[in-house]
Amino acid sequence: MLEKVDLTQALRKAEWKPVREDLEVKLGQAQRVAREAGLRTVLVFEGWDAAGKGGVISALAAAWDPRGFKVHNLGLPTAEERLYPSLTRYWRRLPASGTIAILNRSWYRRVLDERVDGLVDESEWQRTYDEIDSFERQLVTDGYLLLKFWLHIDKQEQKRRFKALSEDPVYAWKVGKAERRRRRQWSEYEQAVEEMLARTSTGLAPWEIVASNCRRHARATVMQTVLSAMSRASARGDEPAAAPAPTAEEEPSTVWVKPSNPLDRVDLSLSVDRDTYGRQLDGLQQDLRRLQHQLYRERIPLVIVYEGWDASGKGGSIRRLTRELDPRGYEVVPIGAPTPQELSHHYLRRFWIQLPKAGHIGIFDRSWYGRVLVERVEGFASETEWRRAYQEINEFEASLVRFGTALVKFWLHISPEEQLRRFEAREADPFRRWKITPDDWRNRDKWDAYYDAVGEMIQRTSTSYAPWTVIEGDDKPWARVKALRTVKTALEGVLG
Amino acid sequence: MLEKVDLTQALRKAEWKPVREDLEVKLGQAQRVAREAGLRTVLVFEGWDAAGKGGVISALAAAWDPRGFKVHNLGLPTAEERLYPSLTRYWRRLPASGTIAILNRSWYRRVLDERVDGLVDESEWQRTYDEIDSFERQLVTDGYLLLKFWLHIDKQEQKRRFKALSEDPVYAWKVGKAERRRRRQWSEYEQAVEEMLARTSTGLAPWEIVASNCRRHARATVMQTVLSAMSRASARGDEPAAAPAPTAEEEPSTVWVKPSNPLDRVDLSLSVDRDTYGRQLDGLQQDLRRLQHQLYRERIPLVIVYEGWDASGKGGSIRRLTRELDPRGYEVVPIGAPTPQELSHHYLRRFWIQLPKAGHIGIFDRSWYGRVLVERVEGFASETEWRRAYQEINEFEASLVRFGTALVKFWLHISPEEQLRRFEAREADPFRRWKITPDDWRNRDKWDAYYDAVGEMIQRTSTSYAPWTVIEGDDKPWARVKALRTVKTALEGVLG
């Protein structure tokens, strides 16, 4: 999930000032409403060293009446705290009715450290995550508002901040042995964090990953998220939170910073010339045929998910992919609107029962992601349902991967201008006119809503075990070659 | 949980006939209502070999229109099924709207077999249980009615049934190598089943353990449970089930068999003579003092829970227990009605923060079990809340035990007659009159409701890691000696 975060997001000083003033006033109001409503709020802040947890917490504190919140610094447990079960220190710090507990570090810290340092084996940390799951479920089902923030910076930014801190005699102590050691273990931590985010982003308590290379942007993002979640939770009363995150389209009047969207950074100018394309395509198709046989011999199932805008070239890409494959070993599964029979089942069932068998390839032309795309945008699924779906989908894919499935997920991305060109070209062509329907034009009108939904989908379902590949699709040859190469690389990965 | 099941429960042939007829008619009606409501019902049957799964399923089938249900026999996965992720075969068999899937064996079978046979390590089967948790949560939150039955018989009864089957040429095949092997591994299976029941009895999908030594009793219990759960679920519509089990007091008109209550079998005539009592008490108190020091040296925390009827002798027992203990190392925590401050928190918090530290002893005079006793009976907690509490409490105690805590839980049991004698004696004694309040008389009037609540509590929270000890309390000396001896044995267990 971390690699999908856009760390270039920033807020200029001049932009920040009015945003901060406005957010502070509204957060102050939200605190008063929450106190009236008896809401118990728990805000968890985790993140890389020097990611700016202190600054974010200060920004919240500045907005609030200090009688109504308490900041808890949860470093390593004290000698005294070690005499109690590990969750005791967190239970102790839970907020009473109408108040807010701000946790600087939390129950996640120790499990990360212990994992990276190899102090606990897998069954031990799996159990710890189970305990955390139970703990968070108990809180949220009892009506607590629980928000978990991961403040994300990159290694480069951390280096700059460590340097600045070290050179300042007042702050130099902040970069000690432990911090430097964690920095040296960056990639081990990154892996552990990725797994933690996937494992503990439940429907009831998902993580919010905050792009924090720009401190102002991080503060605005956190303040906005807290404000929106508290307002919603106070209005809801005692009902357990389905999920706290706000979405852009729901509160158009109160969006100060746009949520990070991985699509913003896609370079649609990428292209490949005809000759190179032809040569590469041939080579890749031959490679894939060979790999398909190996897959079959080793009884490894391969699932390829194609999602993308209308007219983004899914069909053409699939044709190139399957061109040289042995047709006895693959199946293309087109996913349209569910039949009444399918609707009477759990939405995931039709995918579970159409999985390829071991050694075979299943190519899904659209997929289970419909739940968080079309069903979300068109209102076919309730907000509770599609928010829950991120976890359900991550769990589904974890089951596949655990079984040994190789899983590749494509989002074929094109610009709205390119889409328009393709729509018009289709309408002008009597042989391809059937491919364009009023539905396509209607979907196009909702480009922005889909854009947000796709961004959140990629962010929340790009796990270490099932990452998304966004394909730059304005140039069809580029897109096709990239898709085939991605499949090839994934296969070489599982075939070792 | 299994040891608390009363396997002597039985239904005579003459009793069974009218019960069956009535249940069949009502189940038929319930099926029609469920079809109208579009309810999707999944009934899972697991249990010991020869526990009577077939007979129970036949009894249900006899009541129902065969077009509305399907029986799935889920033995070991076929060679074909092994080519898909292990949950696929269950997703395939999920019922459509308005229909019922009856699963003879399920996703639990394989994990039990593999565990007992040592084919998978702990982290592997923990992951499998996580997958099962996810799967069941996905179904129940989507509105499926999911009931899981464990048909329980004892080893003796299985022996009888194996013998009868083996001697009948028609059925002899039913007792094969696998069945005999499992029988030889009875105690390993028992342990694995106990853990499975505790681990997967979630608030959304708890297990129902069915006393099945008497086949008629097992059928009646299952039919009644299914009927009640289906009726409730159809009425509720699409809302996810909080928990399906019926309770006696809710549907007084439709109770054919009383649920198994561990209190039924308590022998209240047990007593000890004065001399023996004095001698044993002295010895035990000396032992406990010695063990307390050892506990302290090894930094092991001990938690003792006292629950029991009013006037059952909790206070007297606690005084004898602590008599020779070093007062610096133990604390008695009296639990009364929560303060307004405590009410503003999660109900478990006040127990979490009053746990004894490592090496110390915490004696809770009443406890977190108030949630499923007084709060249930008096309506202070909603049904959803107290049903959810069984899982929350099991998770809480699992955390304690995982930390290394020794945990002893007492239910002090007396007869209503003995309670009356003690109440009257207290009222007649000017020095003890304060001990008896109008509340005590009011609670006494609700004896039956408490009796059911205590029975369900003991059944659902007697885990392998935190079993209940029911103390026969009519004879105070007996009760005191037994309590002290239980604590001593538990301590010797953890001190090794």
Side-chain angles (χ1 to χ4, degrees):
Chain A
M1 304 184 174
L2 296 179
E3 56 153 345
K4 300 297 178 188
V5 179
D6 179 7
L7 288 174
T8 66
Q9 288 183 107
L11 216 58
R12 270 168 298 135
K13 220 169 189 168
E15 291 172 319
W16 168 229
K17 197 167 170 284
V19 164
R20 190 188 60 198
E21 282 167 6
D22 195 19
L23 276 167
E24 280 186 1
V25 171
K26 293 214 167 72
L27 276 167
Q29 288 164 348
Q31 183 191 21
R32 287 185 289 277
V33 173
R35 187 186 303 160
E36 279 301 306
L39 184 70
R40 297 162 298 183
T41 303
V42 180
L43 306 178
V44 168
F45 292 95
E46 292 280 357
W48 298 103
D49 288 310
K53 290 187 292 297
V56 165
I57 291 172
S58 301
L60 287 171
W64 281 335
D65 180 339
R67 291 164 300 181
F69 71 86
K70 190 157 180 190
V71 177
H72 302 275
N73 292 301
L74 293 155
L76 294 175
T78 62
E80 171 77 11
E81 284 174 332
R82 283 176 201 274
L83 298 174
Y84 296 91
S86 57
L87 288 176
T88 302
R89 64 198 300 242
Y90 309 112
W91 277 96
R92 239 181 245 292
R93 288 166 172 86
L94 290 179
S97 271
T99 68
I100 302 164
I102 301 178
L103 274 51
N104 182 24
R105 300 269 187 193
S106 69
W107 41 92
Y108 287 102
R109 166 117 196 231
R110 196 167 166 189
V111 59
L112 281 177
D113 284 351
E114 291 183 342
R115 263 204 69 182
V116 171
D117 290 340
L119 298 177
V120 291
D121 64 11
E122 182 178 337
S123 81
E124 194 62 25
W125 55 258
Q126 291 286 3
R127 269 178 194 266
T128 300
Y129 282 138
D130 284 343
E131 259 189 21
I132 288 173
D133 269 359
S134 304
F135 175 49
E136 295 183 350
R137 170 172 37 72
Q138 290 179 18
L139 296 187
V140 177
T141 53
D142 198 50
Y144 288 74
L145 172 64
L146 171 62
L147 295 176
K148 305 185 293 193
F149 295 98
W150 178 264
L151 302 197
H152 191 49
I153 55 175
D154 57 25
K155 213 176 162 184
Q156 199 55 34
E157 177 66 20
Q158 192 190 51
K159 190 177 179 183
R160 266 194 297 276
R161 294 189 184 183
F162 272 18
K163 188 157 177 287
L165 288 169
S166 309
E167 288 168 356
D168 186 330
V170 177
Y171 295 114
W173 64 271
K174 284 193 162 189
V175 186
K177 259 190 181 166
E179 286 74 18
R180 294 194 191 281
R181 193 155 129 272
R182 278 196 287 269
R183 181 170 167 75
R184 282 194 303 273
Q185 295 171 310
W186 184 281
S187 63
E188 290 92 322
Y189 265 96
E190 200 166 37
Q191 210 186 324
V193 171
E194 279 285 359
E195 178 149 0
M196 174 193 84
L197 295 172
R199 175 74 178 70
T200 61
S201 271
T202 58
L204 293 168
W207 280 93
E208 303 297 328
I209 304 173
V210 182
S212 305
N213 269 14
C214 165
R215 293 173 194 275
R216 289 182 289 266
H217 182 270
R219 290 174 199 185
T221 305
V222 169
M223 289 167 90
Q224 171 175 302
T225 307
V226 171
L227 169 60
S228 164
M230 281 180 76
S231 310
R232 290 153 56 106
S234 297
R236 199 179 47 229
D238 246 359
E239 289 294 296
T247 52
E249 68 272 27
E250 281 163 347
E251 297 174 358
S253 61
T254 53
V255 174
W256 293 268
V257 280
K258 283 278 288 181
S260 160
N261 193 322
L263 295 183
D264 294 343
R265 287 164 299 157
V266 179
D267 180 1
L268 289 174
S269 71
L270 290 168
S271 69
V272 65
D273 67 75
R274 280 273 148 187
D275 281 1
T276 320
Y277 168 63
R279 221 175 32 245
Q280 289 183 336
L281 194 67
D282 277 356
L284 284 165
Q285 286 173 339
Q286 296 307 323
D287 291 344
L288 287 175
R289 186 177 175 91
R290 194 176 39 77
L291 287 164
Q292 184 194 16
H293 280 273
Q294 218 175 324
L295 208 61
Y296 183 74
R297 279 206 314 278
E298 302 195 16
R299 292 282 184 278
I300 292 171
L302 167 64
V303 169
I304 303 173
V305 171
Y306 272 92
E307 292 283 355
W309 298 103
D310 290 327
S312 60
K314 292 190 293 294
S317 181
I318 292 172
R319 271 198 305 284
R320 269 70 182 184
L321 175 71
T322 56
R323 177 77 191 216
E324 294 293 327
L325 296 182
D326 184 330
R328 292 167 300 182
Y330 76 82
E331 191 180 0
V332 177
V333 186
I335 299 296
T339 63
Q341 175 67 13
E342 287 170 335
L343 271 178
S344 89
H345 284 283
H346 193 283
Y347 76 96
L348 280 177
R349 182 174 178 271
R350 62 171 168 154
F351 307 105
W352 268 101
I353 67 177
Q354 290 191 87
L355 291 171
K357 67 171 74 169
H360 290 246
I361 301 172
I363 301 167
F364 287 84
D365 183 4
R366 304 204 187 271
S367 70
W368 43 95
Y369 284 98
R371 188 70 162 187
V372 294
L373 296 174
V374 57
E375 293 190 41
R376 165 181 173 171
V377 172
E378 302 294 340
F380 300 146
S382 72
E383 182 174 347
T384 308
E385 286 171 337
W386 62 256
R387 286 206 177 280
R388 197 168 68 206
Y390 295 121
Q391 180 187 14
E392 292 167 341
I393 287 171
N394 286 340
E395 289 169 340
F396 170 48
E397 295 179 353
S399 286
L400 302 192
V401 171
R402 191 179 171 216
F403 178 65
T405 307
L407 180 54
V408 178
K409 308 188 299 196
F410 291 128
W411 176 259
L412 259 67
H413 192 48
I414 53 174
S415 64
E417 298 74 28
E418 177 64 21
Q419 189 189 51
L420 184 61
R421 266 192 298 280
R422 293 186 188 179
F423 277 12
E424 287 171 351
R426 283 179 179 188
E427 290 208 321
D429 180 343
F431 293 102
R432 293 195 300 156
R433 197 173 292 152
W434 63 272
K435 286 179 96 175
I436 186 102
T437 68
D439 262 358
D440 293 323
W441 290 103
R442 265 198 300 277
N443 289 343
R444 186 176 156 76
D445 287 341
K446 298 188 178 161
W447 184 277
D448 289 347
Y450 273 104
Y451 192 85
D452 289 342
V454 173
E456 190 169 0
M457 167 190 87
I458 292 176
Q459 182 58 59
R460 293 198 184 272
T461 59
S462 263
T463 53
S464 53
Y465 52 87
W468 276 99
T469 302
V470 178
I471 293 191
E472 304 82 1
D474 273 7
D475 182 61
K476 284 185 182 179
W478 168 273
R480 291 168 186 170
V481 166
K482 178 163 176 180
L484 270 66
R485 190 181 297 123
T486 305
V487 173
K488 183 189 164 194
T489 308
L491 284 184
E492 288 170 343
V494 294
L495 291 167
Chain B
M1 304 184 172
L2 295 179
E3 55 152 346
K4 301 296 178 188
V5 178
D6 179 7
L7 289 173
T8 65
Q9 287 182 107
L11 216 58
R12 269 168 299 134
K13 219 170 189 168
E15 291 171 319
W16 168 230
K17 197 166 170 282
V19 165
R20 190 188 60 199
E21 282 167 8
D22 194 19
L23 276 167
E24 281 186 0
V25 171
K26 293 213 167 71
L27 275 167
Q29 289 164 348
Q31 184 191 21
R32 287 185 289 276
V33 173
R35 187 185 303 159
E36 279 300 304
L39 184 70
R40 297 161 298 183
T41 303
V42 180
L43 307 178
V44 168
F45 292 95
E46 291 281 357
W48 298 103
D49 288 310
K53 290 186 292 297
V56 166
I57 291 171
S58 301
L60 287 170
W64 282 334
D65 179 340
R67 292 164 300 181
F69 71 86
K70 190 155 180 190
V71 177
H72 302 274
N73 292 302
L74 292 154
L76 294 175
T78 62
E80 172 75 9
E81 285 173 333
R82 283 176 201 274
L83 298 174
Y84 297 91
S86 57
L87 288 176
T88 302
R89 64 198 300 242
Y90 310 111
W91 277 95
R92 240 180 245 292
R93 289 166 172 87
L94 290 179
S97 272
T99 68
I100 301 164
I102 301 177
L103 275 51
N104 182 22
R105 300 268 187 194
S106 69
W107 41 92
Y108 288 102
R109 167 120 195 230
R110 196 168 166 188
V111 59
L112 280 179
D113 284 351
E114 290 183 343
R115 262 204 69 181
V116 171
D117 290 339
L119 298 176
V120 291
D121 64 12
E122 183 179 335
S123 81
E124 195 62 25
W125 57 257
Q126 290 286 4
R127 268 176 194 267
T128 300
Y129 282 139
D130 284 342
E131 258 188 22
I132 288 174
D133 269 359
S134 304
F135 175 49
E136 295 183 352
R137 170 172 37 73
Q138 290 179 17
L139 295 187
V140 178
T141 53
D142 199 50
Y144 288 74
L145 172 65
L146 171 62
L147 296 176
K148 306 186 293 194
F149 294 98
W150 178 264
L151 301 196
H152 191 50
I153 56 174
D154 57 24
K155 214 177 161 183
Q156 200 54 35
E157 178 66 20
Q158 192 191 52
K159 189 177 182 184
R160 267 194 296 277
R161 295 190 184 181
F162 272 19
K163 187 158 180 287
L165 288 168
S166 309
E167 288 168 355
D168 186 330
V170 177
Y171 295 114
W173 63 273
K174 285 194 161 188
V175 185
K177 260 192 182 164
E179 286 73 19
R180 294 196 190 279
R181 193 154 129 272
R182 278 195 287 268
R183 181 171 166 76
R184 281 194 303 275
Q185 295 171 309
W186 184 280
S187 63
E188 290 92 324
Y189 265 96
E190 200 165 37
Q191 210 186 324
V193 170
E194 279 285 359
E195 178 149 359
M196 174 193 84
L197 295 173
R199 175 74 178 70
T200 61
S201 271
T202 58
L204 293 168
W207 279 94
E208 304 297 327
I209 304 172
V210 182
S212 305
N213 269 13
C214 165
R215 294 173 192 276
R216 288 181 290 266
H217 182 270
R219 291 174 198 184
T221 303
V222 169
M223 289 168 88
Q224 171 176 301
T225 306
V226 170
L227 170 60
S228 165
M230 283 181 74
S231 309
R232 288 153 58 106
S234 297
R236 199 178 47 227
D238 247 359
E239 289 294 296
T247 52
E249 68 273 28
E250 281 163 349
E251 297 173 359
S253 60
T254 53
V255 174
W256 294 266
V257 280
K258 283 278 287 180
S260 159
N261 193 321
L263 296 183
D264 294 344
R265 286 165 299 156
V266 179
D267 180 1
L268 289 175
S269 71
L270 290 168
S271 68
V272 64
D273 67 75
R274 279 274 147 186
D275 281 359
T276 320
Y277 168 63
R279 221 174 33 243
Q280 289 182 335
L281 194 66
D282 276 355
L284 284 165
Q285 286 173 339
Q286 296 308 321
D287 292 343
L288 287 175
R289 185 176 175 91
R290 196 177 37 78
L291 287 164
Q292 184 193 15
H293 280 272
Q294 218 175 324
L295 209 60
Y296 183 73
R297 279 205 315 278
E298 302 194 16
R299 292 283 184 276
I300 293 172
L302 166 64
V303 169
I304 304 173
V305 170
Y306 272 92
E307 291 282 356
W309 299 102
D310 289 328
S312 60
K314 292 191 292 294
S317 181
I318 291 173
R319 272 198 305 282
R320 270 70 181 183
L321 175 71
T322 57
R323 177 78 191 214
E324 294 294 325
L325 296 184
D326 184 331
R328 292 167 301 182
Y330 76 84
E331 191 181 359
V332 177
V333 186
I335 299 296
T339 63
Q341 175 67 12
E342 286 169 337
L343 271 178
S344 90
H345 284 282
H346 194 284
Y347 76 97
L348 280 177
R349 181 172 179 272
R350 61 170 168 155
F351 307 106
W352 269 101
I353 68 177
Q354 290 192 89
L355 291 171
K357 66 172 76 171
H360 290 245
I361 300 173
I363 300 168
F364 286 84
D365 183 4
R366 304 206 187 271
S367 70
W368 43 94
Y369 284 98
R371 188 71 162 188
V372 294
L373 296 175
V374 56
E375 293 190 40
R376 165 181 174 172
V377 173
E378 302 294 340
F380 300 146
S382 72
E383 182 173 349
T384 308
E385 285 172 335
W386 61 257
R387 287 207 177 280
R388 196 168 69 205
Y390 295 121
Q391 181 188 14
E392 292 167 341
I393 287 171
N394 286 341
E395 288 169 341
F396 170 47
E397 295 179 352
S399 285
L400 302 192
V401 171
R402 190 179 172 216
F403 177 65
T405 307
L407 180 55
V408 178
K409 307 188 300 195
F410 292 129
W411 176 258
L412 260 67
H413 192 48
I414 53 173
S415 63
E417 298 74 29
E418 176 64 22
Q419 189 189 50
L420 183 61
R421 266 192 298 279
R422 294 186 187 179
F423 277 12
E424 288 171 350
R426 284 179 177 187
E427 291 208 319
D429 180 343
F431 293 102
R432 292 195 300 154
R433 197 172 293 153
W434 62 272
K435 287 180 95 175
I436 186 99
T437 68
D439 262 358
D440 292 323
W441 290 102
R442 265 198 300 277
N443 290 343
R444 186 176 156 77
D445 286 342
K446 297 186 180 163
W447 184 278
D448 289 348
Y450 274 103
Y451 192 85
D452 290 343
V454 173
E456 191 169 359
M457 168 190 87
I458 292 175
Q459 182 58 59
R460 293 199 184 271
T461 60
S462 263
T463 53
S464 54
Y465 51 88
W468 277 98
T469 301
V470 178
I471 293 192
E472 304 82 0
D474 273 8
D475 182 61
K476 284 184 181 178
W478 169 272
R480 291 167 186 171
V481 167
K482 179 164 176 181
L484 270 65
R485 190 180 296 123
T486 305
V487 173
K488 183 190 164 192
T489 309
L491 285 185
E492 288 170 344
V494 295
L495 291 167

